Amino acid sequence: MMPSLKERLDQAGIAVSEDEGEPALETPWFVRALQAFSGWLAALFLLGFIAMGAVFVLDTSVVAAMLGLVMITGAFALLRGTKGDFVEHLALAASLAGQLLVAWAIAALLEGSTVGLWWSLVVLQAALALVMPSLTHRTFSAFAASLALYLALMEGISLPSLAGGLVLFSLSVLWLNEFRLPAYMRQLQALGYGLLLGLLAIQVTGYHGQSLLTGRYYQVTGLGWLEPWVGDALGMLALLLLLRYVFQRHAGAIASSVRLAAFGAVAVLMLLSLQAHGLSHGAVVVVLGFAIGNRLVMGFGGLLLLLSISNYYYWLEATLLTKAMTLFALGVVLLTIRWVMRRGWRAGEAEGAGQ
């Protein structure tokens, strides 16, 4: 007689409660969308009413900063107290208005120092991403912090690719540790998605070679001679970290030949990245999605790869023959990795089963 499902779960060490109760019904997506729209609409009317009576605060930076901090604190208290899509988006809109007032006050105090403004916004958005009790707010703050970091490094030391590399390395560490902190798993995922959106925006903006907000082409100064190889170097470092994680997680299922092929592919990809910058970032996100079993992350990686390939295709400093050879080599490398992984993984599983 075959054991029941409950007995098999008990043997596997998974506890099953006898009285599960009825599952909670989830709110339909269109109802949630309507609640979110209602929250933003209510917030716009409320903020417009406040702006009509408090427009004078823009003349004094200290008063503007205090009002902005009060609005951010009120949004935090609102998110801590009541749950729901309406309240969440209402608080998010109020928080954004408060952040704009704080940014206005910082810009007035710094008297035109845009680099100091961007670094201040990096600190502000990073703090909000860590403390705000809202997944939507955390995602937005992580996204905004990524863009502020990009602008600060671009206008400060002419290293915009360093921002992409740092964001890529940070999101790799976050996603690889999401299951190690189960109590904070959803918060880590929200931060990870925000950093992914930030990396995508940085890549799109970097391919145009201009500032995200000002539209001015940046000038190479200071450490600008490291551009764009510093971002590719951080991407390859993140890729090596991911391979180490995959090899440790599936130690008995990966043959030694697959390990050698993987490190060989990293070396070839590093050489290709010297010609087609940005390939390493897309490859890292694809491998990251494969390592954690997240298809959405893999989709982001595929989109980053397509962006880097299309940007390289329209790069005027390389001939069509050089582009064709580079893209051909990239296609051969990717197909070889797929074939070796499929064959080597199965061989490793068979070897581990036979022992």
Side-chain angles (χ1 to χ4, degrees):
M1 181 178 179
M2 293 184 60
S4 63
L5 177 60
K6 182 178 182 305
E7 293 175 349
R8 283 184 290 174
L9 292 175
D10 291 337
Q11 294 175 0
I14 302 176
V16 179
S17 177
E18 291 291 342
D19 47 349
E20 293 286 343
E22 296 184 359
L25 296 178
E26 295 185 358
T27 306
W29 66 268
F30 50 86
V31 176
R32 299 189 61 182
L34 182 60
Q35 290 177 344
F37 174 76
S38 302
W40 279 97
L41 188 62
L44 290 177
F45 279 106
L46 178 62
L47 295 176
F49 176 77
I50 296 175
M52 291 178 61
V55 68
F56 65 92
V57 302
L58 296 178
D59 297 331
T60 307
S61 58
V62 176
V63 178
M66 293 179 60
L67 179 59
L69 292 176
V70 168
M71 296 182 69
I72 294 174
T73 305
F76 176 83
L78 192 61
L79 291 171
R80 285 291 298 268
T82 308
K83 302 299 180 181
D85 294 310
F86 175 82
V87 174
E88 183 174 7
H89 289 272
L90 176 65
L92 177 59
S95 176
L96 291 179
Q99 294 171 42
L100 289 176
L101 288 175
V102 173
W104 176 274
I106 293 175
L109 291 174
L110 295 178
E111 297 180 351
S113 177
T114 56
V115 177
L117 173 63
W118 301 136
W119 281 115
S120 301
L121 292 181
V122 169
V123 175
L124 175 63
Q125 296 298 335
L128 293 177
L130 293 176
V131 303
M132 276 295 181
S134 167
L135 299 181
T136 305
H137 202 304
R138 289 177 186 268
T139 301
F140 174 82
S141 296
F143 170 74
S146 303
L147 295 185
L149 178 64
Y150 167 79
L151 293 170
L153 292 176
M154 183 184 66
E155 298 192 8
I157 57 177
S158 299
L159 282 180
S161 67
L162 178 60
L166 291 174
V167 171
L168 177 64
F169 194 84
S170 301
L171 69 89
S172 300
V173 174
L174 277 178
W175 281 108
L176 291 179
N177 292 277
E178 61 172 331
F179 294 111
R180 295 185 179 181
L181 300 171
Y184 302 97
M185 185 173 65
R186 298 193 64 187
Q187 289 85 344
L188 292 178
Q189 290 177 349
L191 294 177
Y193 285 123
L195 292 177
L196 273 175
L197 291 173
L199 178 61
L200 182 62
I202 289 173
Q203 291 287 73
V204 173
T205 307
Y207 291 150
H208 289 82
Q210 57 187 2
S211 172
L212 184 66
L213 297 180
T214 61
R216 295 180 288 104
Y217 286 84
Y218 65 88
Q219 298 179 354
V220 178
T221 59
L223 298 176
W225 60 274
L226 294 174
E227 180 72 18
W229 294 281
V230 62
D232 295 328
L234 284 174
M236 301 314 300
L237 181 62
L239 184 56
L240 291 175
L241 175 66
L242 285 172
L243 289 179
R244 179 176 176 270
Y245 171 83
V246 173
F247 292 157
Q248 288 182 347
R249 184 179 178 184
H250 305 279
I254 302 179
S256 58
S257 59
V258 177
R259 298 171 183 265
L260 294 176
F263 286 113
V266 171
V268 174
L269 186 61
M270 183 181 300
L271 295 176
L272 293 176
S273 296
L274 297 177
Q275 183 71 17
H277 303 291
L279 287 176
S280 58
H281 291 191
V284 168
V285 179
V286 170
V287 176
L288 175 64
F290 169 77
I292 63 177
N294 192 319
R295 299 196 175 198
L296 184 57
V297 176
M298 292 179 66
F300 270 101
L303 183 57
L304 288 171
L305 275 176
L306 290 176
L307 285 173
S308 60
I309 292 173
S310 61
N311 174 73
Y312 175 66
Y313 180 78
Y314 290 103
W315 190 34
L316 298 179
E317 297 184 13
T319 63
L320 289 177
L321 180 60
T322 303
K323 296 176 183 177
M325 293 176 62
T326 303
L327 295 178
F328 176 77
L330 175 63
V332 171
V333 168
L334 294 177
L335 290 175
T336 303
I337 291 175
R338 181 181 183 276
W339 181 80
V340 172
M341 288 294 290
R342 288 174 63 89
R343 295 289 299 272
W345 198 286
R346 292 175 181 176
E349 289 180 346
E351 182 180 351
Q355 292 179 354

